[in-house]
Amino acid sequence: MNLVVYQKKKLTLAEGQRDFNINNAYVLPNDIELEDSLLGGLIVYYNSIMSVVQVLKETDFYSEVNGTIYGAIVAIFETGEKVDNMAVIRQLKRTGQLEFVGGSGKIAKLGSKDIREIEKSALYLVELSRKRQLIQLTQTVMIESHHDTSDIFDLISKVQGGILELLDFKFSKDTHFGKISNNTYEAI
């Protein structure tokens, strides 16, 4: 996967370069350290999972490893079992993903991380995820627009679908997580 230096590098064509290749210019928006801290916070502050699970999806993580760990945490939460390091390790063993995520040592390190503003951090990770989706959509449009064989109506339809998918996220920085938690609790 080609990655980008996001917000740090001015994009220009190199001498003799005919086409601009955005994949070589940027690192997609991400915050792996915050992802790790959020996962640790969810393990330590079990009650926070109820509100976070409503806004944050496994695919919102930049790190596939962290997304897999989050999926295990959510699976444990959905069974009603208490989420802790050992429960996460057992869940990852059950699904055959423990080695993929880096073993029990990775989970132990997460449990030692502390984060106080879990909900705000979750929203920020969702924001970064949406930025990555938007970048990928615009890259697709840019690349396909240059092809003579591209059907403009198919391309417009793809753009509309991508934008609608991004708009499906109904939360903002003003989202009140207490209401989300109460609604989730009532649904359970």
Side-chain angles (χ1 to χ4, degrees):
M1 177 156 125
N2 292 326
L3 301 178
V4 214
V5 185
Y6 190 70
Q7 298 175 338
K8 289 192 176 180
K9 189 175 183 182
K10 184 177 179 184
L11 301 177
T12 58
L13 290 176
E15 177 97 24
Q17 184 180 3
R18 290 181 46 146
D19 292 323
F20 181 75
N21 183 352
I22 197 162
N23 288 326
N24 294 328
Y26 286 108
V27 172
L28 294 172
N30 70 82
D31 192 334
I32 302 293
E33 190 174 311
L34 182 64
E35 288 182 8
D36 287 347
S37 295
L38 177 74
L39 293 171
L42 291 175
I43 291 169
V44 173
Y45 302 106
Y46 172 78
N47 293 334
S48 297
I49 297 172
M50 193 179 310
S51 59
V52 171
V53 76
Q54 294 297 308
V55 294
L56 188 65
K57 306 297 177 227
E58 190 173 329
T59 56
D60 288 327
F61 286 83
Y62 182 77
S63 163
E64 189 177 345
V65 165
N66 286 342
T68 301
I69 294 169
Y70 179 72
I73 290 170
V74 171
I76 296 164
F77 170 74
E78 289 174 345
T79 66
E81 184 182 348
K82 183 179 184 305
V83 175
D84 59 24
N85 286 351
M86 292 309 297
V88 174
I89 291 168
R90 281 192 306 273
Q91 177 65 24
L92 289 167
K93 274 185 185 177
R94 261 193 301 270
T95 60
Q97 297 173 312
L98 185 60
E99 293 310 310
F100 169 72
V101 301
S104 56
K106 166 80 173 179
I107 306 306
K109 286 179 190 173
L110 291 175
S112 68
K113 295 188 178 285
D114 191 7
I115 186 170
R116 299 287 176 195
E117 298 194 8
I118 291 175
E119 290 88 0
K120 285 183 182 179
S121 298
L123 269 181
Y124 181 66
L125 291 179
V126 171
E127 180 181 333
L128 293 176
S129 175
R130 295 307 176 266
K131 285 181 179 181
R132 289 191 300 271
Q133 289 175 329
L134 188 58
I135 289 168
Q136 290 166 348
L137 177 62
T138 56
Q139 285 179 333
T140 299
V141 170
M142 189 169 63
I143 291 166
E144 290 185 18
S145 293
H146 282 88
H147 295 163
D148 292 337
T149 58
S150 294
D151 181 294
I152 188 64
F153 297 106
D154 288 342
L155 187 56
I156 290 171
S157 179
K158 185 179 284 189
V159 170
Q160 288 173 331
I163 295 294
L164 288 174
E165 186 177 317
L166 286 168
L167 291 174
D168 190 41
F169 181 70
K170 297 186 177 28
F171 301 101
S172 69
K173 291 180 180 176
D174 298 324
T175 298
H176 189 274
F177 279 91
K179 292 179 184 175
I180 294 171
S181 297
N182 289 339
N183 292 343
T184 304
Y185 181 74
E186 289 170 9
I188 294 173

